[in-house]
Amino acid sequence: MTAQLIDGNALAQQVRGEVAGRVAALKARGVQPHLTVILVGEDPASQVYTRSKVADSEQTGLGATLERYPADMTQADLLDRIAALNADPAVHGILVQLPLPPHMDSHAVIEAIAPHKDVDGFHVASAGALMVGQPGFRPCTPYGCMKMLESIGIKDLKGKHAVVIGRSNIVGKPMAMMLLAANATVTVCHSGTPDLGALTRQADIVVAAVGKRNVLTADMVKPGAVVIDVGMNRDDAGKLCGDVDFAGVKEVAGWITPVPGGVGPMTRAMLLVNTIEAAERTSR
Ligand code: GUN
């Protein structure tokens, strides 16, 4: 069997089109939705990510500003800037790019963002809302994974067993919550879980979000299962690869997401969804 691909690029393009329509509708009512992205320091990867976030926003008609600050900015100054953005009605979404320089407490910084502008979905209020089924912002990566499942007709997961490998606060844990909310039976593992394969072989859906190559191999997958690969790693030749042994697993799985071109573009697209949602909520 050869798995069907879930094309993240194509789906992200569709999502961006939907966002563009919502942006146009809001603009027609005189509201210009706006995202402010804050980058502290010179981390090269962060510079690329933040530039893409602004470019993606502008492409859909969202206003976007990248605010760059030196690596020696004080935390107090950053908190002051966030407070000003919280109070600015022209700014609907605030995203502080991580990692922050080591002298800063990321948790304190994220908690300073007003929950109604927390388009990354990293605030404890957002995590709590997800936990108890209240409206809030969902972290973009797991939200994008849920959209990918939806795109192949999997919406209600009643009777399905989902195994999540990885338990980070921004992917594994919220992913598990979203799967539970969709009525799946959910098992959350980590890369060191004993006999991981015994669990993943029972899964109708496997989400791999560890950040390590070959966490999931063909022998660990039930024939026909849906495999979502959140990993972003480099192979020995320096080529981008995920957490899943794609070549092997695609012969067993029913559906699989590629890396690149899978979850990555969806993560980017879901930030736009959260931003337009933030603007719509405050202008209702
Ligand atoms: N750094 C790497 N990924 C992310 C993300 O999704 N949001 C933020 N704020 N920082 C990141």
Side-chain angles (χ1 to χ4, degrees):
M1 179 171 185
T2 302
Q4 298 191 66
L5 275 191
I6 308 179
D7 183 343
N9 284 321
L11 186 57
Q13 192 173 351
Q14 188 188 318
V15 170
R16 283 193 300 269
E18 288 162 12
V19 170
R22 290 165 70 180
V23 170
L26 214 49
K27 280 185 176 173
R29 291 173 41 208
V31 180
Q32 169 62 63
H34 194 95
L35 169 69
T36 295
V37 177
I38 295 179
L39 171 61
V40 185
E42 306 290 329
D43 181 74
S46 291
Q47 292 184 41
V48 174
Y49 294 146
T50 50
R51 273 200 298 267
S52 323
K53 286 167 184 177
V54 169
D56 289 351
S57 300
E58 288 171 345
Q59 199 207 336
T60 54
L62 287 163
T65 311
L66 174 58
E67 294 190 2
R68 295 193 56 169
Y69 298 102
D72 63 357
M73 181 190 208
T74 67
Q75 180 166 316
D77 284 348
L78 178 56
L79 294 179
D80 283 349
R81 184 59 198 140
I82 292 172
L85 292 168
N86 284 342
D88 184 347
V91 173
H92 303 95
I94 303 168
L95 183 149
V96 177
Q97 186 67 24
L98 302 176
L100 285 166
H103 67 279
M104 288 194 188
D105 173 359
S106 307
H107 182 71
V109 171
I110 297 302
E111 296 315 304
I113 298 170
H116 67 283
K117 298 190 179 188
D118 174 38
V119 289
D120 243 340
F122 291 174
H123 195 288
V124 287
S126 303
L130 176 60
M131 176 105 172
V132 298
Q134 291 293 309
F137 293 108
R138 297 182 234 183
C140 301
T141 297
Y143 193 9
C145 294
M146 292 305 288
K147 274 272 175 213
M148 291 178 117
L149 292 175
E150 219 182 288
S151 78
I152 58 166
I154 305 182
K155 195 159 188 186
D156 190 343
L157 300 174
K158 194 169 167 193
K160 305 273 189 216
H161 184 187
V163 171
V164 179
I165 318 170
R167 58 205 164 130
S168 72
N169 290 337
I170 60 173
V171 184
K173 287 177 197 167
M175 184 82 244
M177 285 301 147
M178 289 178 212
L179 289 163
L180 275 176
N183 301 315
T185 298
V186 181
T187 302
V188 186
C189 309
H190 50 88
S191 59
T193 296
D195 203 359
L196 186 56
L199 294 164
T200 57
R201 272 190 293 276
Q202 296 174 40
D204 303 294
I205 296 156
V206 183
V207 180
V210 174
K212 208 166 93 183
R213 283 159 58 191
N214 298 328
V215 162
L216 192 76
T217 48
D219 57 303
M220 298 166 74
V221 176
K222 178 164 82 174
V226 180
V227 174
I228 309 262
D229 191 349
V230 179
M232 274 260 264
N233 312 297
R234 299 259 169 206
D235 68 14
D236 293 332
K239 230 179 88 196
L240 209 57
C241 69
D243 288 357
V244 174
D245 170 26
F246 184 84
V249 171
K250 78 171 175 19
E251 299 303 325
V252 183
W255 292 91
I256 190 166
T257 68
V259 177
V263 173
M266 287 305 293
T267 296
R268 286 169 59 175
M270 299 323 283
L271 174 65
L272 309 176
V273 171
N274 278 347
T275 303
I276 186 62
E277 180 72 34
E280 286 170 351
R281 282 185 199 172
T282 50
S283 41
R284 260 180 205 133

